[in-house]
Amino acid sequence: MDQPNQAHDMTDVTYGEAKVLRGSGGETHQTATESTPVLTTQQGVPVADDQNSLRAGARGPTLLEDFHFREKIFHFDHERIPERVVHARGYGAHGFFELTDSLAEYTKADIFQRPGERVEAFVRFSTVAGNKGSPDLARDVRGFAVKLYTKQGNWDLVGNNIPVFFIQDAIKFPDFVHATKQEPDRAFPQAQTAHDNFWDFVSLTPESTHMLLWIMSDRTIPRSFRFMEGFGVHTFRLVNAEGKSSFVKFHWKPKLGVQSVVWNEAVKINGADPDFHRRDLWNSIAAGDFPEWELGVQIFDEAFVEKFPFDVLDATKIIPEEDVPVRRVGRLVLDRNVDNFFQETEQVAFCTQNIVPGIDFTNDPLLQGRNFSYLDTQLKRLGSPNFTHIPVNAPRCPFAHFQQDGHMAMHNPKGRANYEPNSWGLGPREAPKTGYTSYPEPVEGPKLRVRPELFADHYSQATQFYQSQTEIEQTHIKNAFVFELSKVETLAIRERVVSHLRNVDETLALQVADGLGLETLPDAAPPARKPITGLKPSQALSILANPLPTLAGRKLGVLVSDGAPSELLEAVMDLARTEGLMVEVVAPKIGGITCSAGKRVPAQQKVNGGPSVLYDAVVVLLSDQGAQMLAKEATARDFVTDAWAHAKFIAFNAAAQPLFQAACVTPDDDGCTELASPGDVTKFLQKCSAVRFWPREATVQAV
Ligand code: HDE
């Protein structure tokens, strides 16, 4: 596209008596050189002046004939497309999927045949409720949408970071989404479920109960996209070369383990860095620290379906990993940031009905409804049935069909024939053997608006989920219910939620009722179907019961001042980086500090821009003078107060004590390490592998 350089006349123009300046004094003109291309219009016409519109005289009106100005403004006026109704806030990246274990026994899907083979992938993570500009740390389900460009066409696995959903039938989706997003008269709250309409709807829809337990858990405040599980949610089918079908649930297991933040921290991160999750993904890919997940499958047959006490077509239920183990069959690696957010992440069009031979749908009524919705929504959002012509949506395998025309058509069929059959021998033809065939599941029955019987069990798995959590996680769930319901203005709604919780776990119901200050405990809601008692807890459902595989990928914040002890500082930086931690230096000035050895240490954050909520663990290394100075700085005091309150591991040198005193923190529990020599740094990092020092939490939470 490079054009030959044009010579530009940069002299000022004489008009009548007056000499008028071009641009705002000439300095804004940056002209093309050998290494910069010539600016053109969309039609390719070189532009001589991009600072001034064409006017009749220096102080006269702008002329309509200024085609460059008109084209520029016209295009700008049309830059926005409708944001997604749900999942508007999202962030994506490119990568690949590599098969590690063949599934040929179960499916003829090409992507699952040959271990070691890779296909390209694009993934978009998102929150559900918030608008496009909402903060990343909203308490919300995260979308985990994966597009796999297989040799047999695109397969989209449009999942979430939670394995169940709020509703069972797609017909309730508009109601659910309306109730969740901002209330229509006042247009708030943004990106929050903590309001009357949400809790009104879900408490009138008891099938949501299991999902409510999940969303009130720490799963909805993930530390980053890299530390989240993903789930296909629905039961799908696999079909092998002999036509034999099995059922499957898909899982994505993060290589770095699952980690979340605590609620008070999430609230503060939203202020300190509303882009916390997208920045984390972008930065780790840019640093070559590629996020990775394993693809897991739970495969089961009709016999399992018959004996499983819940309906596998019900998206409000899981299949515990203890009942059907998750077999790991591949890895997903994100290794390339997008070149342009709008072009790729905003225009990517995931569709649940994008499926390939060897994979099929089941009659899950939520999935069936989604198969209509996603195609429809892309037409509205992207404005043309040709959205598959946009590179991020186009298949990577050869494709050929007779679909033509429409807005922005970019590859119409060539030649005389745009139909088949035709006598000209032109164009593609169907492939009965290798083409997509639906599994011939026999279907018959009266037309009815009903749900299968087992769908009516709304509480059993909610109880199982709650009882599978560690005590700390149970406390977080209780606190989240109390927080959200305390934002609900209508007492009857608060009470109705507690009436459902009584069917889940009596202690939880009592604690929530107490946290809300309810004067009387409401009666338990009458269950539509008697819950099953005695389901075994499933360890896989807890985050904290599954120790993290590594410290890698976590972030250490090091608060320093001029005169910080150089030997300790070097040891912290070196040893942390060896463990795979990312380290950021937080200093009184962004220009950095001079440490005790007289060396300059650059900073990545100024203290008021780098609060401890941005880090997984913190180190405070100060000189006597530095500690005195920072003790007077509110944001430095917050740094240690928050690190303490959020149960983070803290290391410090003796000289830093005055800052802790000023912050009313006594760093004397086992989560704190005083660094006297470089050897202590190793001890500190060993402790950090637990990520949080949970025993402290109970001591800092009074309500
Ligand atoms: Fe979606 N959902 N959804 N959803 N969903 C959309 O499609 C819909 C559901 C999910 O990063 C929309 O392109 C219906 C479950 C993700 O671009 C829309 C129902 C799960 C994304 C839509 C559901 C999801 C969407 C809005 C009930 C987890 C973001 C914009 C039957 C398994 C994809 C768009 C991206 C997006 C419809 C329920 C996941 C309106 C009707 C269950 C990750 O088509």
Side-chain angles (χ1 to χ4, degrees), residues 411-695:
H411 19 78
N412 269 4
K414 288 203 175 109
R416 181 175 182 180
N418 52 0
Y419 56 91
E420 65 87 20
N422 68 55
S423 319
W424 320 116
L426 286 175
R429 295 291 186 275
E430 58 201 30
K433 288 218 176 80
T434 54
Y436 189 92
T437 46
S438 297
Y439 178 70
E441 179 188 6
V443 184
E444 62 172 319
K447 271 191 214 169
L448 296 167
R449 291 186 185 272
V450 292
R451 298 199 190 169
E453 212 179 311
L454 292 180
F455 278 43
D457 183 334
H458 300 141
Y459 302 115
S460 309
Q461 285 204 345
T463 306
Q464 184 182 36
F465 176 78
Y466 183 70
Q467 292 178 353
S468 303
Q469 306 301 307
T470 60
E471 218 179 300
I472 295 150
E473 291 168 300
Q474 288 186 341
T475 307
H476 290 179
I477 291 173
K478 184 265 288 178
N479 289 348
F481 270 107
V482 173
F483 177 89
E484 297 253 326
L485 293 172
S486 299
K487 295 274 180 190
V488 169
E489 292 161 8
T490 312
L491 176 64
I493 298 175
R494 293 183 211 140
E495 289 175 338
R496 207 188 296 139
V497 175
V498 175
S499 76
H500 289 298
L501 292 182
R502 293 200 64 185
N503 293 325
V504 176
D505 186 281
E506 190 66 6
T507 316
L508 173 65
L510 282 167
Q511 288 174 341
V512 173
D514 178 51
L516 293 171
L518 292 189
E519 282 172 16
T520 48
L521 190 66
D523 290 340
R529 186 182 166 90
K530 196 166 168 278
I532 304 170
T533 50
L535 289 176
K536 277 206 204 105
S538 160
Q539 189 181 323
L541 300 179
S542 156
I543 298 178
L544 298 183
N546 296 286
L548 297 169
T550 163
L551 244 191
R554 270 75 187 174
K555 216 168 167 188
L556 187 67
V558 186
L559 178 62
V560 292
S561 67
D562 277 334
S566 51
E567 217 191 0
L568 286 177
L569 186 54
E570 258 170 46
V572 167
M573 309 283 265
D574 292 350
L575 293 171
R577 285 186 181 137
T578 313
E579 290 286 334
L581 282 159
M582 290 174 264
V583 185
E584 268 190 10
V585 171
V586 182
K589 290 185 185 162
I590 195 65
I593 55 138
T594 306
C595 67
S596 60
K599 265 204 329 213
R600 281 304 285 170
V601 180
Q604 283 72 49
Q605 297 288 352
K606 175 168 156 52
V607 65
N608 62 2
S612 61
V613 292
L614 303 183
Y615 306 107
D616 295 290
V618 299
V619 177
V620 185
L621 291 178
L622 307 176
S623 61
D624 292 332
Q625 213 184 354
Q628 298 299 340
M629 190 254 290
L630 287 177
K632 293 189 198 124
E633 168 67 42
T635 49
R637 293 197 301 273
D638 288 350
F639 189 93
V640 290
T641 319
D642 278 343
W644 175 261
H646 301 148
K648 287 183 182 164
F649 286 96
I650 302 172
F652 58 96
N653 66 332
Q657 281 287 5
L659 174 60
F660 286 85
Q661 277 154 17
C664 301
V665 169
T666 313
D668 59 356
D669 66 17
D670 285 348
C672 298
T673 311
E674 183 170 337
L675 305 178
S677 68
D680 296 333
V681 176
T682 312
K683 279 189 229 152
F684 165 67
L685 291 175
Q686 274 162 0
K687 286 186 189 174
C688 284
S689 61
V691 179
R692 297 295 161 105
F693 181 66
W694 294 116

Side-chain angles (χ1 to χ4, degrees), residues 18 25 105 122-123 226 234 247 354 380 387 438 453 538 703:
E105 183 190 350
F122 187 84
V123 178
R226 298 178 294 136
H234 313 281
F247 295 105
N354 286 355
K380 169 75 185 165
F387 66 82
S438 297
E453 212 179 311
S538 160
V703 280

Side-chain angles (χ1 to χ4, degrees), residues 83-88 90 123-128 142-145 157-160 162 164-167 169-174 231-234 315 345-346 348-350 352 365-370 372-378 381:
E83 65 174 41
R84 290 163 173 84
V85 183
V86 279
H87 297 266
V123 178
R124 183 175 179 273
F125 303 104
S126 48
T127 51
V128 179
R142 299 301 186 283
F144 194 128
L157 187 57
V158 197
N160 278 347
I162 286 181
V164 287
F165 202 62
F166 294 91
I167 49 167
D169 188 319
I171 198 169
K172 294 310 295 169
F173 194 62
F231 302 92
V233 176
H234 313 281
T345 310
E346 196 56 16
V348 67
F350 292 97
T352 52
L366 206 61
L367 177 59
Q368 298 274 327
R370 293 179 75 198
F372 164 75
S373 179
Y374 288 69
L375 185 60
D376 191 42
T377 212
Q378 306 314 347
R381 233 165 46 77

